[in-house]
Amino acid sequence: MQRISILGATGSIGQSTLNVAALHRESIEIYALGAGSNVDALYQLCCQWQPHYAAMANIDAAHQLEQQLKAIGSRTQVLAGESGMAEIASLPEVDSVMAAIVGAAGLVPTMAAVNAGKRVLLANKEALVMSGELFIRAAEKSGAQIVPVDSEHNAIFQCLPVQAQQQIGACDLDAAGISHILLTGSGGPFRQRPLETFAAITPAEAIAHPNWSMGPKISVDSATMMNKGLEYIEARWLFNTRPEQLKVVIHPQSVIHSMVQYQDGSVLAQLGQPSMQTPIAYALSYPHRMASGVAPLDFTQVGTLSFEAPDFARYPCLSLAIEACHQGQVATTTLNAANEEAVAAFLSGRIDFDQIAAVNAQVLTTLPQASADDLESLMAVDTMARTLAQVEIGKRLR
């Protein structure tokens, strides 16, 4: 029986994880559930799964949940705040932790799971974007096993030789005979939209991804291709790549989730339906495989698969992310924080779509490039970047 904690249980990744777990109740126990502030959603999940623990990052929400569960005689113990989230990530009874909290909020509990030596199913890319070197170093020290869940990184993971899979964060691509890692991206909903109309893009249009069902923030990041930029940074740390070993390819159909190109000219690709349940099932069962509830591809119905190079004039956020990756940890932390603030401002109607990249670029060039060699220093960088982003957003208010 594999006991798991789910950080971000009420989000899309959390729900997909529970969908897979429902198919394997004989081998998977939902030991703890964590969420931000959605009391009603987590209450329903607690009623359904009866976890030993539930945690909410919002302290008031945690108190409400505790009262509701007590009223029905539930034995689920409720924990509150960031410390509560970190506790369910490091419980001694837990084998695996699904790290699926969106954004910087997921960093501390995910690091708690790493420091506790857990098997970390990593869906929170910001953990590596903000603290890649610290994260990998902590995993090496604690013996934590990192299994990537993002569809692209999971696809790359599946295409690696076993030795490289077992050395996440420190694999030697040259020794494995690998020349390039190819990250695929759909290009989002505006791949062919005229650039001069980008200022008129609405939040409703931006979150309508053509292939994937995701939350608002990730959907906007996919539209700007910042999501691919963050994945580029994550891939750099997961697979220990040099800049010339990592490439981005636009693949509008989202059938090939990513590829690994070998020195002999071979290319291994992982294909499948655009559903997160497939990589989640693989992460939960690795090194074995189990049913995900996703239908296999019918190649007679797939149609044409096409590929193109990314247009950085159309996707300036992708260019910024690649640049930040080469600059180092402070730059990637800065960019992630600025982007979270800019996307929130766009979703609330305060700035235009094309101003997301402008805010990000200005903050990235304004914040002093100081060193940050511990988690506290990185969180201070994150705070400063958010403050600067709010100043830039204020200059652009609609």
Side-chain angles (χ1 to χ4, degrees):
M1 180 67 73
Q2 180 181 186
R3 291 174 168 175
I4 68 173
S5 287
I6 303 177
L7 307 176
T10 60
S12 61
I13 298 294
Q15 186 57 60
S16 292
T17 304
L18 292 169
N19 289 343
V20 174
L23 300 174
H24 302 279
R25 289 179 180 267
E26 76 289 347
S27 60
I28 295 175
E29 178 185 356
I30 304 302
Y31 200 81
L33 295 172
S37 58
N38 192 333
V39 177
D40 292 340
L42 192 56
Y43 171 77
Q44 293 297 328
L45 292 179
C46 287
C47 291
Q48 179 181 357
W49 290 93
Q50 298 294 313
H52 292 261
Y53 294 88
M56 301 206 76
N58 183 291
I59 294 176
D60 290 338
H63 293 329
Q64 292 177 43
L65 178 66
E66 185 174 34
Q67 292 171 0
Q68 291 181 14
L69 291 175
K70 281 184 177 179
I72 61 170
S74 171
R75 296 184 179 181
T76 297
Q77 183 176 341
V78 178
L79 304 173
E82 189 175 79
S83 62
M85 298 293 284
E87 185 172 344
I88 67 166
S90 54
L91 290 166
E93 299 87 352
V94 166
D95 304 301
S96 302
V97 177
M98 173 59 73
I101 299 173
V102 175
L107 177 58
V108 170
T110 302
M111 283 294 287
V114 170
N115 289 330
K118 300 300 181 183
R119 191 164 186 251
V120 181
L121 314 180
L122 187 63
N124 171 267
K125 61 178 63 65
E126 288 82 4
L128 283 171
V129 170
M130 291 181 65
S131 64
E133 186 174 358
L134 293 175
F135 190 96
I136 296 301
R137 209 160 59 211
E140 290 174 349
K141 181 178 179 180
S142 69
Q145 181 185 24
I146 308 300
V147 182
V149 172
D150 267 348
S151 61
E152 294 81 2
H153 304 93
N154 188 271
I156 293 163
F157 184 82
Q158 292 191 46
C159 295
L160 293 176
V162 173
Q163 184 178 4
Q165 288 180 336
Q166 295 173 349
Q167 295 177 327
I168 289 299
C171 49
D172 186 336
L173 298 184
D174 292 325
I178 294 168
S179 59
H180 295 97
I181 284 175
L182 306 175
L183 274 174
T184 60
S186 70
F190 309 128
R191 185 174 61 89
Q192 296 179 313
R193 179 164 174 153
L195 289 174
E196 62 271 17
T197 69
F198 271 33
I201 290 171
T202 67
E205 291 173 319
I207 64 176
H209 194 281
N211 301 330
W212 295 90
S213 176
M214 304 175 292
K217 195 270 181 181
I218 298 177
S219 296
V220 173
D221 281 350
S222 293
T224 65
M225 282 201 76
M226 175 60 85
N227 202 46
K228 200 57 50 183
L230 299 179
E231 289 169 4
Y232 181 100
I233 298 165
E234 184 181 6
R236 177 262 178 272
W237 291 110
L238 284 172
F239 308 117
N240 194 29
T241 68
R242 300 188 301 273
E244 67 272 15
Q245 293 174 311
L246 191 53
K247 297 182 178 181
V248 175
V249 178
I250 303 298
H251 169 50
Q253 294 80 21
S254 296
V255 172
I256 295 177
H257 299 310
S258 274
M259 298 173 277
V260 174
Q261 187 173 39
Y262 285 81
Q263 293 167 3
D264 63 3
S266 301
V267 178
L268 299 187
Q270 189 268 333
L271 289 72
Q273 302 282 6
S275 169
M276 285 305 299
Q277 288 182 208
T278 298
I280 287 168
Y282 184 71
L284 285 169
S285 60
Y286 176 80
H288 308 291
R289 292 182 184 269
M290 64 185 188
S292 66
V294 178
L297 281 175
D298 179 350
F299 283 93
T300 66
Q301 301 297 317
V302 167
T304 301
L305 301 181
S306 58
F307 307 90
E308 59 193 65
D311 176 1
F312 291 119
R314 181 172 295 276
Y315 305 116
C317 283
L318 174 60
S319 179
L320 287 170
I322 293 173
E323 176 188 340
C325 184
H326 297 163
Q327 288 179 18
Q329 193 68 87
V330 171
T332 58
T333 301
T334 297
L335 181 61
N336 179 72
N339 184 67
E340 287 189 14
E341 298 298 320
V343 170
F346 166 69
L347 286 170
S348 63
R350 290 182 290 153
I351 63 173
D352 293 331
F353 180 83
D354 59 345
Q355 293 178 325
I356 295 173
V359 170
N360 291 340
Q362 188 60 41
V363 174
L364 194 59
T365 58
T366 302
L367 194 72
Q369 295 299 297
S371 62
D373 54 6
D374 56 44
L375 196 56
E376 291 73 22
S377 299
L378 288 172
M379 295 307 291
V381 170
D382 178 86
T383 299
M384 287 189 291
R386 290 177 191 278
T387 300
L388 285 171
Q390 286 300 329
V391 171
E392 293 301 321
I393 289 165
K395 296 176 182 177
R396 296 168 170 82
L397 288 177
R398 295 171 61 179

